[in-house]
Amino acid sequence: MIGVVVALKTQSDFAADRLKTISEVIDKRPVIPAVLLKLMARGAAYYHHPLGEVIFTGLPKRLREGAALDAQAVAIWTAASSADPSETLKRAPKQLAVLHLLQSVPNGLAATEISDSIPAPHDALGALHRKGLVQQNYRQPAAAIRPTHTADTPPTLSNEQQAAVEQLLPGQTSFGVNLLDGVTGSGKTEVYLNLVAPIIEQGRQVLLLVPEISLTPQLVARFSARFPQGVVSYHSGLNETEKLTVWRQTANGEISIVLGTRSALFLPLPKLGYIIIDEEHDPSLKQGEGFRYHARDLAILRGQIENIPVLLGSATPSLETLANVARGRFGCVHLTHRAGNARPPTLHLVDLKRQNLLGGLSQTLIDKMQEHLGQQHQVLLFLNRRGYAPAMLCHECGFLIDCPRCDAHMTWHATLNALHCHHCGHASRPPRSCPDCGKAALQPVGAGTQKIEDVIHACFPDCSVIRIDRDSMRRKHALDDALQAIRDGKHQIIIGTQMLAKGHDFPNITLVGMIDVDQGLFSSDFHAAERVAQQVMQVSGRAGRGEHAGEVVIQTMQPEHPLLQTLLQHDYSAITNSLLSERELGLWPPYRHIALFRASAHVAADAQTCLNDILELAEALDMDDLELLGPAPAPLERRAGRFRYQLLLRSSSRSVLHRALNQLTPAIGKLKSARKARWSLDVDPVDLS
Ligand code: ADP
Ligand code: ZN
């Protein structure tokens, strides 16, 4: 068992026979620096999650398994010859066993590896070494990871960029949070580069967090072109050895800039001087399971603990952040124009109710595509629904094929000739006839990205089309390669899901078609409207980032919807102002603080009972200003065969909410019903599904 010592005690609450001795101290200096441990402890308290799990969420796997922080050259033993040693060693069975083992492994083994099969091999190895039967070599620790780069010439900053840099630079000596609110293509990255330059010059370190791993390669290229010394990325795409190497390098201060996804927040950075959260509005900055932390919020906490500045960047800031700006807690700097000569794109709404559709595409969109392709530009079609068709319908009786384990329809995947459930992964062959009425009238309805790809091939046979979604990008590096191919102009038409919605810079895309924006307009989650607005702004931000003007075609059944009408004016702040008043009226964050208990079980009653018991505990607290909503079924009530329910806690005071949770969580651990269901707590949930 590997453990982390976080404090020493001279007495124990446990009986002596329940205590274990420490068999080996792995590290000579703390693996987790004091400030980081403080961050983890405060995070554990805020999210009401066990500290041990929080620490293990932060540590790379190799360290959790017992690798030492300081990489040492490891002695590797190899057999000196392959001659049969049975005769010479017949009186030394252990030495014989060790030598046999080494003869079977040409590259040799470390003593710890030998001890996996032969306990305590050290004496035997020593004896074999004296007899000249084995040799000892040293394996060097893994080499540092250094990306290749080509130096760039910094562009002259626009007036707005210059003003932003000048406004932010003076605050860089101590803690403070600022928002860089800059429209898509306004050159936020260039501002980041200018802000971190003096930090790097002082020999300090910079941490830049992004929501998506696909955004790191482009950023790494831009940062290493400006700062050739020590830029690394840290994300789930690295293998475990690479993660350990980055951890060691950052701990030793060898790295100046780390670009990473949310787990990079827990890297030891002894000389940390600046934290940037790019795309701060993105919900994927929040971890969805286990330790459900929001990387933006914990990054701000880290900035506070380390007394260093934190910069949030976005073209579509979250309502929470905007409220913090309005309350004067965060500073704010705007970039309202696109960098270089790029102009904002023009938006068009297409009313699908009055159109003849060709496989989901309106004639207006097809005409626009023809026009832009004719000018040798690229076109991006956005649809956040993978697969061929989102449902299989019987045209005789109206029966829809559902997942047997979820309250959801099965998605039809034409290439695999299979039905897949996108909620639990269940797969089946499509039946030949309707399971309900028996007629052979089953047909796919609606359009997913695969169907759009088919339609596009038929309409534009001379264009190269690439589809980017989770199905087509399974291979490692597939996405990096595809993004590069798009930038190189190898494809004229790009069909993509949210994988392509954010952050990417494709200068030659001038037309973006949003095939169906209606999915989010009528969701029960109070976050939905904000997400739709952000998605439309972000996706349309992919159009016209180069010198040619961009256009966006938005297809909808609800052209009169106020949200879409405001978006048409390209006025994000008008939308957020009205969404903020809705949140205030609806008593939702950022005007209230919420926490969500979820419970699931194979038997619905088990999950309900668990939450009813939690409700009873919460009612017994008898606290003012604590609202209890539920338990109620989750929007997808049954998923992968489990029934899911939720109980929401709401308060206008953060401290009241946390006082309640502090009392509740230990008590829930003692509930019998909590053992019959799987339950979890989500503080500041970003989605209520
Ligand atoms: P954002 O992150 O705000 O969407 P980027 O930082 O990706 O925008 O910049 C958009 C494009 O504008 C990039 O291609 C970048 O190289 C270019 N750019 C940024 N600043 C300038 C500038 N001052 N002059 C010319 N081009 C610029
Ligand atoms: Zn399912």
Side-chain angles (χ1 to χ4, degrees), residues 409-424:
H409 305 315
M410 299 287 280
T411 298
W412 161 240
H413 285 250
T415 42
L416 305 166
N417 186 26
L419 293 168
H420 279 225
C421 172
H422 285 185
H423 297 282
C424 73

Side-chain angles (χ1 to χ4, degrees), residues 12-21:
S12 175
D13 312 330
F14 293 97
D17 63 351
R18 290 197 53 202
L19 300 178
K20 301 271 189 290
T21 42

Side-chain angles (χ1 to χ4, degrees), residues 350 352 355-358 360-370 459 553 555:
V350 173
L352 289 181
Q355 293 261 351
N356 284 328
L357 292 188
L358 189 67
L361 302 183
S362 61
Q363 195 57 47
T364 316
L365 179 55
I366 293 175
D367 291 346
K368 284 267 178 231
M369 287 177 71
Q370 228 120 29
C459 291
V553 173
Q555 302 194 136

